[in-house]
Amino acid sequence: MPELPEVEVVRRGLEEILKDQPVLKKVELMRADLREPIPAKKISTLIGEKLLSVERRAKYLLLWTKKGALLSHLGMTGTWRVAPKGDERAHDHIYLHFGGGLRLAYRDPRRFGCFDYVKDPQKHPKLAELGPEPLNADFTGEVLWESLRGKTVALKVALMDQKIVVGVGNIYASEALFAAGIKPTLESRRLSKERAEVLVAEIKKILSRSIEQGGSSISDFAQATGESGYFQTTFRVYGRGGEPCVTCGQQVRTKILGGRNTFWCSHCQK
DNA sequence: CTCCTATCCTGCGAGC
DNA sequence: TGCTCGCAGGATAGGA
């Protein structure tokens, strides 16, 4: 589910739910590992603390207490939900119990997600090497262009590289390139500065529009995190291989790039 | 260094 | 209906 917009929607939902909650009373692990072992002992540092805010960095969530944060990555299939007593489901791996009786469940069938305890984000190995946030003002066409210098990988692969820019995953990479009229197979170093500006503008536009639409699903956050109407309705190329391009009618092409299926229109994207 | 591939894991839809 | 196959929104290790 989660690229940047979905994680941001989850962040907002979690922050709303956790606002004014009493202290975290118990962390219940239903298994010892996901993609990696869950550091239960370190995480237990947070017990007895209030959750003060929820931060998003790239596709990571940081649930902050004054002692440190619980780091949560949703992988491909991770979700958070409010799970009242009786609402236990297969693949619930972690329950957070709060003083007032609220229980939050982390569910992740494929277990590609991960957890950690973070004290200083700057020093955390998973966070330290991340590239710029696409929605921040410091992510500009020039910055992107600079970081693509000399790179021979397909532009679409570079967009999914979290060192170049964070939060753009397989769907939004295809969608942003379509919106910018740039073919995903273009060698990264061949992107002109001018076209980099266009691409950055489209990335920002598409991510923020998606967050806005996902925002409407915050109310049913407890049921189905992140599954906003955006997905079914507004993809222009993703998942539409062989179908006519929404702009010109030519067949949408597909190709595996960086191990992931990629969609584009060779008439509209040069 | 950079780039590419395989891999972790379960669920679901397509096709037989 | 039931089975198998291929594919799925991420990230990383290891090899070339």
Side-chain angles (χ1 to χ4, degrees):
Chain A
M1 234 161 264
E3 297 183 38
L4 185 147
E6 293 70 49
V7 179
E8 177 60 23
V9 170
V10 172
R11 184 198 72 76
R12 293 177 186 188
L14 276 179
E15 192 158 78
E16 188 59 30
I17 286 165
L18 293 173
K19 185 176 68 178
D20 304 325
Q21 273 294 314
V23 297
L24 178 65
K25 203 173 67 185
K26 183 177 158 194
V27 177
E28 187 182 4
L29 300 185
M30 308 306 285
R31 55 177 303 131
D33 56 64
L34 298 174
R35 200 171 67 205
E36 300 165 4
I38 302 166
K41 203 166 173 185
K42 281 199 273 177
I43 287 172
S44 67
T45 310
L46 306 173
I47 292 169
E49 296 299 318
K50 277 192 164 196
L51 290 178
L52 304 170
S53 63
V54 183
E55 182 189 0
R56 180 190 58 73
R57 173 73 176 108
K59 298 171 196 164
Y60 292 91
L61 292 165
L62 293 120
L63 284 63
W64 279 104
T65 72
K66 69 177 194 302
K67 279 197 176 172
L70 177 65
L71 182 76
S72 162
H73 192 292
L74 305 176
M76 292 270 217
T77 53
T79 53
W80 281 103
R81 74 175 193 284
V82 174
K85 201 167 184 221
D87 180 16
E88 291 83 31
R89 306 186 196 177
H91 311 296
D92 280 353
H93 304 312
I94 297 188
Y95 295 116
L96 301 183
H97 299 262
F98 290 85
L102 181 90
R103 183 174 68 165
L104 276 186
Y106 176 77
R107 179 170 185 271
D108 185 0
R110 286 177 77 181
R111 306 204 299 268
F112 285 179
C114 66
F115 280 90
D116 205 350
Y117 165 78
V118 172
K119 182 87 183 165
D120 180 358
Q122 309 276 334
K123 288 183 185 151
H124 193 278
K126 288 193 161 56
L127 303 175
E129 305 295 317
L130 292 170
E133 285 287 332
L135 295 178
N136 286 2
D138 62 2
F139 180 61
T140 63
E142 173 131 28
V143 164
L144 176 63
W145 182 80
E146 275 293 339
S147 56
L148 296 177
R149 216 171 242 224
K151 285 207 168 293
T152 58
V153 283
L155 180 55
K156 185 259 189 172
V157 175
L159 286 183
M160 292 177 63
D161 181 343
Q162 304 297 297
K163 289 197 185 79
I164 289 175
V165 58
V166 303
V168 179
N170 201 38
I171 291 177
Y172 294 105
S174 281
E175 292 295 315
L177 285 164
F178 179 81
I182 303 168
K183 62 178 178 185
T185 52
L186 184 74
E187 253 193 310
S188 297
R189 61 180 175 177
R190 305 268 179 231
L191 185 72
S192 70
K193 210 183 274 193
E194 292 71 28
R195 303 189 82 197
E197 301 281 0
V198 174
L199 179 54
V200 164
E202 292 299 341
I203 290 171
K204 286 174 188 279
K205 215 187 289 178
I206 215 159
L207 294 179
S208 37
R209 209 182 305 145
S210 175
I211 292 171
E212 281 168 30
Q213 304 208 12
S216 63
S217 71
I218 284 178
S219 55
D220 55 87
F221 170 78
Q223 284 305 316
T225 304
E227 290 199 42
S228 66
Y230 180 81
F231 282 98
Q232 292 82 359
T233 57
T234 64
F235 293 158
R236 298 210 279 164
V237 283
Y238 183 84
R240 302 193 57 249
E243 295 176 33
C245 168
V246 293
T247 304
C248 77
Q250 198 169 103
Q251 270 199 0
V252 172
R253 297 183 58 181
T254 68
K255 187 179 183 180
I256 306 294
L257 289 178
R260 321 303 296 275
N261 213 350
T262 307
F263 303 84
W264 81 102
C265 170
S266 51
H267 178 258
C268 296
Q269 295 171 257
K270 301 293 181 191

